[in-house]
Amino acid sequence: MTVRVVVGGALCHEGRLLAARRSAPPELAGRWELPGGKAEQGESVPEALVRELREELGVEAEPLERIPGEWPLRPGLVLHVWTARLLSGEPAPLEDHDELRWLGPEELDSVDWLEQDRPAVAEAGRRLRAERDEQHARSHGGA
């Protein structure tokens, strides 16, 4: 059986991670996820992420690096998550979502994430905290 990749985007901007609330299908509605979707035939996973974020949110983003691990969604479908940087646009819930929230690292537990997104969300939160701590140390460090 061929395994298709679903790419999720850990879209970060100004020290926060974008969470998207599902509006469909009914069994997922109301739960939160990292936005993204299936890679098409002949499309690289980073290319799929750029396309999906454009279609779902109306933004341009740059894939940065893959978060280690993969999470099965259902037979033949596996989730890969990439960190991404917002290049332009203001995210809007255009497709499959009814609400978006920018969450700081300490707010990530404030929404009900889909189970398969939780490990990648935790890792994205660790990276955001490390980035914030590094910036804080630089701005308050000695010469």
Side-chain angles (χ1 to χ4, degrees), residues 96-116:
D96 301 326
H97 302 106
D98 61 4
E99 187 180 337
L100 303 175
R101 286 189 195 162
W102 287 107
L103 301 173
E106 289 74 25
E107 301 170 297
L108 295 178
D109 291 336
S110 68
V111 299
D112 183 19
W113 293 98
L114 293 172
E115 293 309 314
Q116 65 270 14

Side-chain angles (χ1 to χ4, degrees), residues 12-70:
C12 299
H13 184 63
E14 296 178 351
R16 295 175 301 156
L17 177 70
L18 187 70
R21 189 171 68 186
R22 296 285 314 202
S23 56
E27 64 272 15
L28 301 180
R31 305 275 313 271
W32 294 79
E33 69 174 0
L34 298 169
K38 294 182 191 82
E40 301 296 341
Q41 191 73 38
E43 183 178 49
S44 75
V45 174
E47 288 168 347
L49 180 60
V50 169
R51 179 184 50 75
E52 286 288 344
L53 293 178
R54 187 181 299 135
E55 290 172 2
E56 289 191 3
L57 306 174
V59 298
E60 293 301 319
E62 175 189 19
L64 299 175
E65 62 181 323
R66 184 171 157 198
I67 289 179
E70 63 178 37

Side-chain angles (χ1 to χ4, degrees), residues 78-130:
V78 66
L79 175 67
H80 290 185
V81 175
W82 283 66
T83 58
R85 185 167 57 97
L86 182 64
L87 296 177
S88 65
E90 183 64 37
L94 304 177
E95 234 178 60
D96 301 326
H97 302 106
D98 61 4
E99 187 180 337
L100 303 175
R101 286 189 195 162
W102 287 107
L103 301 173
E106 289 74 25
E107 301 170 297
L108 295 178
D109 291 336
S110 68
V111 299
D112 183 19
W113 293 98
L114 293 172
E115 293 309 314
Q116 65 270 14
D117 284 40
R118 289 177 188 269
V121 167
E123 176 59 24
R126 279 192 290 278
R127 292 177 184 204
L128 285 171
R129 279 190 296 280

